[in-house]
Amino acid sequence: MEEVQRHSVHTLVFRSLKRTHDFFVANQSFLPEVDESLEKLKYSIKARDTYGLVFDRTAKAKALAVKRGEGERVDGPPGVKDGVLAITAGGEQEGGSTDGANPQSNALVPAATPATQNTSNAVQILPKKAPTIPKPKWHAPWKLCRVIAGHLGWVRCVAVEPGNEWFATGAADRVIKIWDLASGKLKLSLTGHVSTVRGLAVSPRHPYLFSCGEDRQVKCWDLEYNKVIRHYHGHLSAVYTMSLHPTIDVLVTAGRDSTARVWDMRTKANIHTLTGHTNTVASVVTQAANPQIITGSHDSTVRLWDLAAGKSMCTLTNHKKSVRAIVLHPSLYMFASASPDNIKQWRCPEGNFIQNLGGHNSIVNCMAVNPEGVLVSGGDNGTMFFWDWRTGYNFQRFQAAVQPGSMDSEAGIFSMVFDQSGSRLITTEADKTIKIYKEDDEATEESHPINWRPEIIKRRKY
């Protein structure tokens, strides 16, 4: 058997082209004659396909002109013959003006006048309104007013009592401390956890404080006796976050076992185990309206849950990195989720995306929002960003100062919360301190103007 000689691709392509050229070279100059009728038919089909809507509107306009007794005519500049329409630039006609009411107007589609608007079927093309970017509301800048020290480890969580008289903090020293909100003095220390305390919640209807930690324990403290009265057993790993339902006696906890568990506060029964996340659930919030439970996870998703069925209603996959913080707006039917890529705002109940708040380029551990529409986000590198909720305008940035004796890496902010009035912000940090911020009373719109540049915002959003 004879072996086939191999050639390069370039040689084979060249041979194919030469063979084709030799085959058709004899007919190159003998092209068929052009059939004018077929050419006209081809162009008319193309015109009807592309401009059919214009032809139909023109026919309606001509029929309307005949109906009004003005005769069948086509307006246009001098030199237009055989009823052929031409689209020309605006300007005055010979012997007429460009007024819309003038029958001599060269408008392609006549605009209906008030007298004929209800009876005619002429279409009026309205100019599209340009999108507008709302101007952000002015907010007073915030300043540090108190630093509280007392914990011996990273302070991981904070919760404010509904009466706005005290707040509780939990830390890596395994102690829960109760502080007076007005004076910042220590009122009480609660011991019982054997590992870092990661979550706290104070009941608005009972004298109860709930806590969870890395020891897998969820505890209910009776504040009248300052002791644990209930344990909620079921989590298989560290419990990182918790939330109390605002209207029913239900507690929701979540953590490193990738689940959120719904507990009956009184009977300690595990009502639902919400499964679906594939990594640590870092944040959970509850509200009275659907979705009653919202969770954010290190698997980069946010899930909205049906509390009655114990199933996921919706999964939001817009984030590219882990979602460590979720916050509900106190009055609007909206929530925000934070990730190192962006802070995103959503509308309930379907989780419709509203806008991105970009610029906080660090791991965002926590967020808080007050009734005035001030959203605050805290990062792992000690940065705090203050945003206007409605427009997403970043009106202030903070870099938390590391306390004397702490390392530069201990500048992280782990949790934050506004007090019940929304006028004070409490943050807990990696330098083992608790910081309280408040608005600067002396600031005005003149001393701290809004640096609002809508063209930059427009480029970022669109």
Side-chain angles (χ1 to χ4, degrees), residues 403-416:
Q403 296 304 301
S406 296
M407 297 183 293
D408 289 342
S409 59
E410 289 192 326
I413 302 172
F414 289 127
S415 68
M416 58 174 54

Side-chain angles (χ1 to χ4, degrees), residues 337-376:
S337 57
S339 176
D341 55 3
N342 270 311
I343 297 171
K344 298 179 185 291
Q345 290 180 346
W346 315 87
R347 182 180 289 113
C348 298
E350 285 91 7
N352 300 320
F353 175 72
I354 304 297
Q355 65 178 344
N356 271 330
L357 277 61
H360 203 156
N361 299 318
S362 68
I363 296 173
V364 182
N365 286 325
C366 52
M367 289 190 299
V369 62
N370 70 0
E372 296 297 319
V374 176
L375 173 68
V376 192

Side-chain angles (χ1 to χ4, degrees), residues 207-226:
Y208 294 157
L209 169 70
F210 295 87
S211 64
C212 62
E214 293 181 7
D215 52 9
R216 298 179 293 180
Q217 296 188 40
V218 179
K219 296 175 182 286
C220 173
W221 303 79
D222 189 325
L223 296 175
E224 293 177 345
Y225 300 97
N226 298 334

